Amino acid sequence: MKTILLTLASSLTVALTSAAGLPRERDASKPSRVRAAGFTDAVTRHVIPMRKHDIPPAPDHHIRRRAAGSSPTNLRNVHDVYYIIDLIVGNQTIPVSVDTGSSDTWLVQEPYECVSFWFDYPGGKPNCGLGSGFKGNLSGGTIPDLPPFVRSYVDGTFVAGYYGREDVTIGGVTAHNQRIAIVNYTYWRGDGQTSGLLGLGYPYLTSLDGADQNQPPYDPVFTTMWKAGDIEPVFSIALSRSEDRGVSGMPQGLKKESYLALGGLPPVEFEEGSWARTPIHGMDAVPQWGFETDEKGMYIIKPDAFVVGPGGSGVGGLARNTTQLPVLIDAGSTLSVLPVNLVNQLYAAFDPPAEYLSSTGLFYARCNATVPTFGVEIGESTFYIAPEDLLRQTVRDPTGEWCRVGVTDADSPPHVLGVTFLTNVVAVFDVEHSEMRFAARKKY
Ligand SMILES: *[C@@H]1O[C@H](CO)[C@@H](O)[C@H](O)[C@H]1NC(C)=O
Ligand SMILES: *[C@@H]1O[C@H](CO)[C@@H](O)[C@H](O)[C@H]1NC(C)=O
Ligand SMILES: *[C@@H]1O[C@H](CO)[C@@H](O)[C@H](O)[C@H]1NC(C)=O
Ligand SMILES: *[C@@H]1O[C@H](CO)[C@@H](O)[C@H](O)[C@H]1NC(C)=O
Ligand SMILES: *[C@@H]1O[C@H](CO)[C@@H](O)[C@H](O)[C@H]1NC(C)=O
């Protein structure tokens, strides 16, 4: 999960814990539902196929029992799916993973120092799983008089280095003289195929740097592109759950492909009648973070409801929870992460029920279990998560009989709709209208 770690806010989270345990008055006024009509998304020519790369879960060397009351999610071992695109940086092609939960674009540069915790590689050399990255000098040089680039992510990884400028091209669109970060010191768990990260979040997140996390923000790659008028201020993502083993120049028309589309829609089939729209909220939408600004940083939405019930239940058999929960739409997070109460209902609705496997820190169910119905209501549409995403047949425990559940639980934010949600939809990130739009993918 590559959501940026909000260090400043997390100390506030601690201070707020006692209050957070109390039942909270909820704002009863639901945002009015809007029909997804009146916008003109069109398939863009700036479509970039993404390569999906699955990595087998690493054996966990630091097994700990789930302590009562502790944050239950083990985020250290959950990132097993990467969506990769090629960035052209200067004239070098550099594969990076794609993230909507952070805003910097960074690349490693040799020589860099890879560090690790002792338990990750007992007696061995740390392996950050990064390629060789950018070579030589940036055409725009390094940017003087800035504090070093340092980012920590929610899964415990971090990168550090410095800022410079270079042209960055994606799908035929170039962000000229773009500020990027060059990383030479990192704790990372890469997939062995990428050398950096493309952050598609808002500029605001880039200001959370330095000791006080209040540096002047800068425009990330996507912002530079739309401000220059090269694309509409929108991008969209369609992730496929099937692995594509092709390298580059993949044949057209494969429904299994994953895409990043700049300025419009990707060329995938979706259910025309299922379009739904919902506002993107500011940083203050997550009270536990303690931000006072309504400035937008991440793609935070509030789904109208979550529905859950046993597999095969009709709409009448589904429990509907209409709590207005702020969630991040995060393509850099494999699993979806939702509150404990809600996820416990989901686990219980597996037949037989899902169980906590302490050796992994996550919930698994029998690979042949009956999978529940689980959906996210946005506007007038309910986006159901496919059984393949709820019970992930490709990620098994060492016995091979238990499969990983695609939703995990957390007491505290960030709550996330990650890859296991996004593989069911086309997601449109519209920064001009500050809204997200979704349509259900046709079955693929
Ligand atoms: C890439 O750019 C650098 C600096 O502008 C130049 O020295 C080098 O020859 C170029 N390489 C290629 C393959 O074009
Ligand atoms: C990069 O810049 C440094 C300092 O300006 C110079 O010494 C070095 O030769 C340059 N390297 C390349 C590959 O151009
Ligand atoms: C990383 O680069 C910065 C800026 O050039 C330098 O000060 C620092 O020593 C480098 N760190 C490592 C580990 O190479
Ligand atoms: C609904 O979900 C919220 C979290 O979003 C949870 O705190 C609450 O307990 C749930 N309500 C019911 C009735 O399950
Ligand atoms: C499911 O698999 C388990 C072994 O993992 C087996 O014992 C059980 O009979 C299977 N159940 C069904 C319904 O096939």
Side-chain angles (χ1 to χ4, degrees):
M1 123 158 355
K2 289 306 163 201
T3 307
I4 187 177
L5 182 68
L6 301 165
T7 321
L8 181 68
S10 60
S11 56
L12 290 165
T13 308
V14 175
L16 285 169
T17 318
S18 52
L22 300 171
R24 195 181 278 276
E25 284 291 331
R26 288 284 169 176
D27 183 4
S29 63
K30 241 170 87 86
S32 60
R33 292 183 173 203
V34 267
R35 270 225 47 81
F39 56 81
T40 52
D41 287 322
V43 174
T44 167
R45 53 197 180 87
H46 304 296
V47 170
I48 305 97
M50 290 194 264
R51 304 188 289 280
K52 178 173 184 255
H53 184 211
D54 294 307
I55 50 170
D60 203 326
H61 295 291
H62 56 294
I63 295 162
R64 282 190 214 108
R65 289 204 70 81
R66 181 172 185 157
S70 72
S71 178
T73 313
N74 178 346
L75 294 173
R76 300 182 48 76
N77 192 24
V78 302
H79 198 57
D80 56 58
V81 173
Y82 290 79
Y83 290 90
I84 305 169
I85 67 167
D86 288 331
L87 289 190
I88 300 172
V89 184
N91 55 15
Q92 302 174 30
T93 300
I94 305 203
V96 297
S97 47
V98 175
D99 186 30
T100 56
S102 64
S103 300
D104 309 287
T105 291
W106 58 259
L107 314 162
V108 283
Q109 181 174 45
E110 301 271 15
Y112 64 89
E113 191 175 341
C114 166
V115 296
S116 76
F117 293 110
W118 62 271
F119 44 71
D120 279 336
Y121 300 93
K125 190 175 179 294
N127 179 359
C128 286
L130 289 162
S132 61
F134 190 81
K135 293 176 187 66
N137 294 332
L138 297 162
S139 67
T142 61
I143 306 177
D145 304 326
L146 284 178
F149 167 72
V150 182
R151 282 286 180 262
S152 299
Y153 299 90
V154 169
D155 61 358
T157 55
F158 67 80
V159 288
Y162 55 92
Y163 291 105
R165 293 194 179 276
E166 185 53 275
D167 290 350
V168 176
T169 303
I170 319 169
V173 187
T174 300
H176 293 281
N177 206 30
Q178 172 64 41
R179 175 164 162 184
I180 59 174
I182 296 294
V183 166
N184 61 9
Y185 184 78
T186 179
Y187 168 54
W188 197 250
R189 260 176 275 109
D191 64 341
Q193 299 195 357
T194 51
S195 299
L197 192 71
L198 170 67
L200 291 169
Y202 284 89
Y204 180 74
L205 293 183
T206 67
S207 71
L208 304 176
D209 209 344
D212 299 328
Q213 299 209 343
N214 63 351
Q215 291 298 308
Y218 68 89
D219 284 348
V221 171
F222 167 67
T223 311
T224 303
M225 287 174 172
W226 71 255
K227 281 192 176 171
D230 294 333
I231 49 168
E232 294 294 310
V234 60
F235 70 90
S236 53
I237 284 182
L239 303 182
S240 166
R241 70 179 72 88
S242 5
E243 182 156 14
D244 195 308
R245 293 174 195 283
V247 188
S248 54
M250 287 183 287
Q252 297 285 308
L254 283 185
K255 293 197 179 66
K256 287 179 177 173
E257 282 184 354
S258 302
Y259 297 103
L260 168 66
L262 297 174
L265 290 180
V268 295
E269 294 184 349
F270 47 79
E271 303 288 348
E272 195 58 57
S274 67
W275 278 110
R277 61 205 294 199
T278 191
I280 298 170
H281 294 267
M283 297 297 284
D284 58 355
V286 182
Q288 295 91 331
W289 282 346
F291 284 94
E292 280 172 7
T293 177
D294 62 0
E295 192 81 33
K296 291 174 184 64
M298 306 187 191
Y299 300 98
I300 303 172
I301 66 161
K302 293 184 180 176
D304 293 277
F306 290 89
V307 294
V308 60
S313 13
V315 173
L318 298 176
R320 186 162 173 268
N321 187 326
T322 56
T323 305
Q324 294 286 296
L325 178 76
V327 293
L328 313 183
I329 304 298
D330 187 2
S333 170
T334 301
L335 299 181
S336 296
V337 186
L338 292 170
V340 177
N341 285 350
L342 182 64
V343 179
N344 280 344
Q345 291 178 31
L346 175 69
Y347 293 150
F350 281 86
D351 184 18
E355 289 182 28
Y356 180 69
L357 289 196
S358 62
S359 61
T360 65
L362 293 167
F363 274 77
Y364 282 64
R366 288 273 177 199
C367 295
N368 60 1
T370 304
V371 179
T373 302
F374 187 64
V376 184
E377 252 182 64
I378 296 168
E380 312 246 307
S381 296
T382 304
F383 299 99
Y384 291 100
I385 301 190
E388 301 93 303
D389 294 316
L390 286 174
L391 187 59
R392 304 176 65 228
Q393 299 290 334
T394 50
V395 189
R396 300 193 175 211
D397 85 322
T399 71
E401 289 178 15
W402 296 82
C403 285
R404 187 178 284 178
V405 177
V407 183
T408 190
D409 54 357
D411 280 326
S412 54
H415 293 116
V416 170
L417 290 172
V419 170
T420 54
F421 170 76
L422 288 169
T423 44
N424 298 276
V425 297
V426 177
V428 179
F429 301 72
D430 182 343
V431 303
E432 180 178 17
H433 302 106
S434 296
E435 71 172 27
M436 290 215 54
R437 296 186 284 277
F438 299 94
R441 287 284 290 276
K442 284 225 166 105
K443 211 168 169 55
Y444 62 92

